[in-house]
Amino acid sequence: MTGTPRSSVPSAMSLVAAAVLLAGCSGPQQAGPGWTAQPATTGSATSGTATSGSAASGPGDSASAAPGTASAAPDAAASSPASASATPGEPRAAATAASWKTFSDPAKSVSFDLPSDWIAQSVAPEEGVLPGGLKVDVKKPDGTFVAALRTGLPPSSPDCPDDARHPYTVISSVPFDLAAQGGAGTIPPRMVYRVIQGYRYFGSYGITNLVGGTDGRACELRNVVRGPDGKGDLSFGDLVGLKAFAPDEKVAPAQAFDTLAQAAQYVNDSSDFANVQRMLMSLKVKN
């Protein structure tokens, strides 16, 4: 195992300092994967230690991320921005599983790494996917759902009236190598953990190359990567789209937090998130 475990919650002064640091970043910076890797005994996973790359919410969804930080959008109940981050530049404490394997569909069109005791199973895709579309569910040994890989999703642009937009925060955003269709409203592919504010803070992880919203507000945060023309989009995460849930709606598999600091602690300290991040960023797609 590499890295030194830490489990501290930032003080109020450190939160303000982190926010000021982000505000001073004037251009793109490199950010490595946000997990502490273990030597792989199976599969093609790599080992090493890297720091998380995160940034404030907004149109670029951290296209100019500062390594090791995560800045919150202004809270509706506060008059100044808050920060939800560990100390900038420090590696995440949580470590990934020691043993990994590689899943690939029969046609070898997609592959990804996952912990050796997790289960990846091809299932029937939802209605409306393009021909050749796939769905692969990933679960823990006890059957707990972790994520779903979907390909062949039809492009969509949901309507978003101004009065339905909610503040959102990018807790973690890490670039990785994946072919994607560019164009207006896109950014380079990233593995993200984002939180949208409703009656609680709702969090979701996934891969995306779509801008989340404007002015730090959105109706839905899409965990979707725009695919080549005619091939459809793809999604790999717990949800295809994250919204602010109503009190009578089921939140799972998204998560609910009382504060942004709780969401940041999950990202920084949870081995589950470290495993998910490493798995999602290992995705390979044969176009």
Side-chain angles (χ1 to χ4, degrees):
M1 181 182 300
T2 61
T4 302
R6 292 181 174 86
S7 59
S8 61
V9 178
S11 66
M13 290 299 294
S14 64
L15 296 184
V16 174
V20 171
L21 176 62
L22 277 176
C25 295
S26 58
Q29 300 184 27
Q30 294 298 319
W35 35 257
T36 303
Q38 295 291 299
T41 57
T42 60
S44 59
T46 58
S47 62
T49 302
T51 59
S52 63
S54 312
S57 59
D61 274 7
S62 71
S64 57
T69 60
S71 171
D75 190 300
S79 59
S80 61
S83 172
S85 74
T87 303
E90 290 193 0
R92 177 169 303 136
T96 59
S99 180
W100 288 68
K101 61 187 177 183
T102 301
F103 169 87
S104 181
D105 70 302
K108 307 295 182 183
S109 59
V110 296
S111 67
F112 58 88
D113 302 331
L114 69 162
S116 59
D117 61 343
W118 287 10
I119 301 163
Q121 182 179 18
S122 295
V123 297
E126 290 93 346
E127 293 185 6
V129 302
L130 301 181
L134 302 172
K135 183 180 180 185
V136 180
D137 283 344
V138 179
K139 299 180 180 180
K140 294 182 179 180
D142 63 1
T144 301
F145 174 82
V146 177
L149 170 64
R150 297 173 171 88
T151 68
L153 298 176
S156 63
S157 299
D159 291 334
C160 183
D162 189 68
D163 59 0
R165 298 163 68 215
H166 292 263
Y168 76 93
T169 302
V170 181
I171 299 292
S172 177
S173 180
V174 185
F176 73 108
D177 186 20
L178 184 71
Q181 188 78 6
T186 67
I187 57 175
R190 310 181 78 88
M191 189 278 166
V192 297
Y193 192 86
R194 296 177 292 187
V195 172
I196 194 165
Q197 183 179 347
Y199 72 93
R200 296 183 73 188
Y201 294 94
F202 302 104
S204 172
Y205 49 72
I207 61 174
T208 189
N209 79 325
L210 303 180
V211 172
T214 58
D215 301 324
R217 300 173 69 87
C219 291
E220 183 182 50
L221 299 172
R222 301 280 289 172
N223 294 323
V224 169
V225 172
R226 184 175 293 170
D229 292 338
K231 296 290 187 178
D233 297 339
L234 64 92
S235 175
F236 198 11
D238 52 4
L239 293 172
V240 175
L242 173 68
K243 66 175 184 176
F245 295 92
D248 60 345
E249 288 185 297
K250 177 184 175 182
V251 174
Q255 296 172 296
F257 304 96
D258 293 325
T259 66
L260 287 174
Q262 289 179 358
Q265 186 173 22
Y266 164 72
V267 167
N268 290 330
D269 298 341
S270 168
S271 293
D272 274 353
F273 179 78
N275 283 327
V276 165
Q277 187 176 60
R278 179 169 168 176
M279 176 179 72
L280 269 56
M281 291 175 62
S282 72
L283 177 65
K284 301 290 186 295
V285 179
K286 181 180 179 182
N287 293 322

